[in-house]
Amino acid sequence: MSIKTTDLCDEFGAGAKVLLPIFQDLGGRADFQGRAVTVKCFEDNSRIKELSTTAGEGKVLVVDGGGSDRCALFGDHIAEDLVRNGWAGVLVYGYVRDKAVLRTFPIAIKALGVTPAKSTKRNEGQVGLSVTIAGQVISEGDQLFADDDGVLVLKAVVTEGAQ
């Protein structure tokens, strides 16, 4: 990634919304940048699985799992789909599994942590909603940036004006 979060903070000031530093790097990369695709789900990864099989070029999957530590919202199979379909990265307000395998994939996966328990599949969850994660509101289409220094959001209006 060529754009550093520190440089974006310097350039945009208060317009760069920095997420609280609560995420672990669990993929083979620490950096991503792309447009947010949001999914809100609680202990059900049905919508995540669906989205992982769609084209993800230039997109970051933002998962609001409510911070639940009772199950993982995805593991190696979904991560493999995300890589195959060109997703730039994943931000999970929740837990994932298959940590050792996730580290081998060339994608940034930032989550609260890991747990071996799998999620349920009840075909629940909503795509495209604004979600509040780590102290910031993230809306569909917002631009997300992440690296070793953290994760930040530039609202879609700010990034459109900057281009």
Side-chain angles (χ1 to χ4, degrees), residues 68-84:
S68 174
D69 60 2
R70 295 190 302 202
C71 68
L73 289 172
F74 73 86
D76 59 346
H77 297 291
I78 289 178
E80 186 174 16
D81 286 343
L82 291 164
V83 170
R84 183 181 310 112

Side-chain angles (χ1 to χ4, degrees), residues 36-59:
V37 174
T38 61
V39 59
K40 186 173 183 123
C41 55
F42 187 74
E43 299 179 0
D44 180 339
N45 71 354
S46 301
R47 300 288 89 82
I48 298 167
K49 177 62 176 165
E50 290 169 4
L51 287 168
S52 73
T53 63
T54 64
E57 193 69 35
K59 299 176 186 174

Side-chain angles (χ1 to χ4, degrees), residues 5-6 32 34 53 58 67 82 122 153:
T5 57
T6 52
F32 61 65
T53 63
L82 291 164
R122 298 179 306 267
V153 180

